[in-house]
Amino acid sequence: SQTIHQWPATLVQPVGSPLSLECTVEGTSNPNLYWYRQAAGRGLQLLFYSVGIGQISSEVPQNLSASRPQDRQFILSSKKLLLSDSGFYLCAWQHGTGGADGYTFGSGTRLTVV
Amino acid sequence: GENVEQHPSTLSVQEGDSAVIKCTYSDSASNYFPWYKQELGKGPQLIIDIRSNVGEKKDQRIAVTLNKTAKHFSLHITETQPEDSAVYFCAASRGGKLIFGQGTELSVKP
């Protein structure tokens, strides 16, 4: 069966520090991968998505970047965190068949920038 | 591009009552409509989905209906229980990326 791992679960970082959040998927190959953020309120804001190794699409200009060094690994990074980067970060995977299919979300990372 | 509107933003019901959440979409080519439940501090979980070749789907106390002509779909929860309290998201897709609604916070009062 497929599983998605996201870590860490919580993170408190000072302003200006770097960030690296990692997401890995097991039990599938060539998944579509997504990074979302939930700030204050409930909305799911799409940050980045990837349909293959090295292929990253950015949805919103951010102080963030993403990379996909391996088929089932997706990394969210920042060189210098801002207070506004605080939020709940979610990784998700989807079958990469090109057809319509649902996501499976990870358990999320609660990031607080202080 | 696709746009999904979800209503209401908050919904409070008494335990045992029914709850209905509605979504409209703009892209008539969308053919997949999932619903997610997000409990506090957790990632959203898929609870039910429907494809455009089906008008209704039911799974125990949860059902989803789809009206392709009107481009809207709804989540129905019957005999609500306190553990149904959560944020619910609808979404639409025609392949690939899902477009999410804004979410509905459902509160079930004992």
Side-chain angles (χ1 to χ4, degrees):
Chain A
S1 63
Q2 301 95 350
T3 55
I4 180 168
H5 302 279
Q6 193 179 337
W7 67 92
T10 59
L11 194 58
V12 180
Q13 293 283 95
V15 168
S17 64
L19 173 73
S20 181
L21 302 180
E22 188 164 342
C23 173
T24 59
V25 181
E26 295 178 355
T28 188
S29 58
N30 196 32
N32 294 337
L33 295 172
Y34 301 86
W35 277 111
Y36 282 84
R37 178 171 67 193
Q38 281 183 305
R42 297 185 296 270
L44 292 165
Q45 181 187 30
L46 178 61
L47 301 176
F48 301 96
Y49 67 96
S50 171
V51 298
I53 296 174
Q55 299 178 60
I56 308 294
S57 295
S58 174
E59 286 289 303
V60 181
Q62 299 281 341
N63 180 42
L64 302 167
S65 62
S67 62
R68 184 169 177 175
Q70 300 180 44
D71 182 44
R72 288 167 287 184
Q73 185 184 30
F74 205 21
I75 298 172
L76 183 70
S77 304
S78 174
K79 292 182 180 178
K80 290 185 178 182
L81 283 168
L82 306 173
L83 288 174
S84 58
D85 292 323
S86 294
F88 190 49
Y89 288 81
L90 289 158
C91 179
W93 78 270
Q94 177 190 45
H95 285 294
T97 59
D101 207 351
Y103 296 169
T104 300
F105 283 91
S107 53
T109 295
R110 173 73 59 189
L111 172 65
T112 304
V113 182
V114 297
Chain B
E2 175 67 282
N3 183 51
V4 177
E5 296 288 334
Q6 183 173 346
H7 300 280
S9 57
T10 59
L11 179 60
S12 182
V13 299
Q14 288 295 132
E15 183 178 358
D17 288 350
S18 295
V20 180
I21 302 171
K22 299 181 179 181
C23 289
T24 60
Y25 61 98
S26 60
D27 187 352
S28 56
S30 289
N31 57 8
Y32 177 67
F33 307 92
W35 285 89
Y36 289 83
K37 175 184 180 182
Q38 185 178 24
E39 297 177 341
L40 193 63
K42 298 183 178 180
Q45 283 199 306
L46 179 69
I47 55 171
I48 195 167
D49 56 11
I50 192 168
R51 299 189 185 271
S52 58
N53 58 347
V54 176
E56 183 174 359
K57 185 176 179 180
K58 190 172 181 180
D59 182 4
Q60 299 183 2
R61 297 185 297 108
I62 293 174
V64 56
T65 59
L66 172 65
N67 183 327
K68 287 193 296 182
T69 302
K71 289 191 282 188
H72 67 71
F73 56 113
S74 300
L75 178 71
H76 305 254
I77 306 174
T78 58
E79 301 172 17
T80 54
Q81 301 168 2
E83 52 264 39
D84 294 327
S85 296
V87 177
Y88 291 80
F89 291 96
C90 65
S93 169
R94 59 173 177 174
K97 195 169 51 173
L98 297 179
I99 305 301
F100 286 92
Q102 297 88 343
T104 296
E105 183 173 6
L106 173 64
S107 176
V108 180
K109 302 189 175 188

